[in-house]
Amino acid sequence: MNKKQSYYMQTDLIFLFTLFVCVSLLAIFNAQQLEQYEGENFVLKQILWFTAGAFIVAAIQFLDLEQLYKASVYIYGTSILVLIVLLISPESIARTINGAKSWFTLPGLSLQPAEFTKITTILFMAAVISKHKSKFEVSNLKSDAYLLVKILILTAVPVSLILLQPDFGTAMVYLFIAGMMIILSGINWKIITSLIVVISTVSAAVIGFVIKFPVLAQEVLGIRQYQVNRILTWFDPTQQSSDATYHFDRAYMALGSGQLFGKGMGSLEVNYPEAHTDFIFSVIGESFGFIGSAIVIFLYFMLLYKLVTLGLSIFKYSSFGTYFCFGFLSLLLIHVFQNIGMTLGVMPITGIPLLLISYGGSSILSTMIGLGIVYRVAVENTIQNDYLFK
């Protein structure tokens, strides 16, 4: 009995999760001290989201990887159906917010389906790659091209629906995850190199087109003025108006004003929008300085390292578990890089949260679902290793 219980005590994951919860609550507590959040209690709400997420993690442990593997196609299909329902739903339950129809807005509750579809897409992608690898044990250019097509198709479906909302930032997350999975799935480098060249050329052409012809880009590409402004601000903030660079200027000012050790709890002086969500890293920088910011980045490094080692360790028992760990790693990596990058000015501003720290129900719950599956992978890895040494 004690042995069985020990399988479910993955102390390293529990410890890391606890640290992220503490950082999140401290940062959100500081953020809500700003005048714009007067009367709000985001800390309590975040505790409730984390608590709900913990129950989800526990519930996932009743499923094994084989059951998740078999159910992945149905879970993915259901999430795609929800995205379609979102697009055709009336404004009463799916209001357009900031020009995008991305949320179900129910009484007392708002959920963003695209956040959950990230996890279901990774889950199904891991199953597809695992099944393909077991079928084609000896790969060649033809089989690798076939796998590439399958990954691109199952990624294109949610991306197309998300672009219709429109939500370009979230769509880019899916494309990054697909790119990482293509590389990590072992597809021939000749195919990957050709793909990288094509994507890089198209991306450079699109960005150049937006920078050179911003008005025409809105008509041809269907992007909005604020999205054009974000690209222009990222490319050359010195040439933009103070209104266009307001978010970046304020967030950057807050981050830098923390200096080495920060101003401490309840001492924020710089007001800026979305401090508790998109710009939570600026709150951390102002509150706890360079030291605190570095510790947070180190926590993410430790979590990413755990995902790499766990993925490599479980491969001999379950390639499906391996590819899910790598997919979840890709999700964390792009969110952390993009969110912190936009705060530092090296990436354009998007509405991508800092996972496990930013306030938000959809973000927390979807990430906890992913962590729950990773936790199950760790449990099965422990069980298999225990059997191996018996």
Side-chain angles (χ1 to χ4, degrees), residues 72 75-76 79-80 83 114 116-128 151 154-159 162 174 177-178 181 324:
S72 61
I75 297 171
Y76 171 79
S79 66
I80 295 301
L83 287 178
F116 298 93
T117 310
K118 292 175 187 175
I119 303 299
T120 63
T121 300
I122 293 172
L123 188 70
F124 186 43
M125 196 180 297
V128 167
I151 293 175
L154 70 89
T155 305
V157 176
V159 167
I162 290 167
Y174 283 80
I177 293 170
M181 293 295 274
F324 183 84

Side-chain angles (χ1 to χ4, degrees), residues 25 48 59 62 83 104-105 109 121-122 128 134-135 145 183 208-209 276 280 284 294 304 318 359:
L25 297 181
L48 294 176
F62 289 97
L83 287 178
F104 281 117
T105 50
L109 180 67
T121 300
I122 293 172
V128 167
S134 64
K135 183 178 180 180
I183 294 173
F209 180 64
H276 66 313
I280 194 72
I284 294 171
L304 294 172
S318 171
Y359 171 80

Side-chain angles (χ1 to χ4, degrees), residues 269-282:
E269 298 172 344
V270 183
N271 277 281
Y272 44 95
E274 310 301 334
H276 66 313
T277 54
D278 298 347
F279 291 101
I280 194 72
F281 193 73
S282 292

Side-chain angles (χ1 to χ4, degrees), residues 16 19-20 23 294-304:
L16 279 172
L19 290 178
F20 274 111
V23 171
I295 290 173
V296 170
I297 293 174
F298 180 72
L299 286 180
Y300 279 113
F301 172 81
M302 292 302 297
L303 181 55
L304 294 172

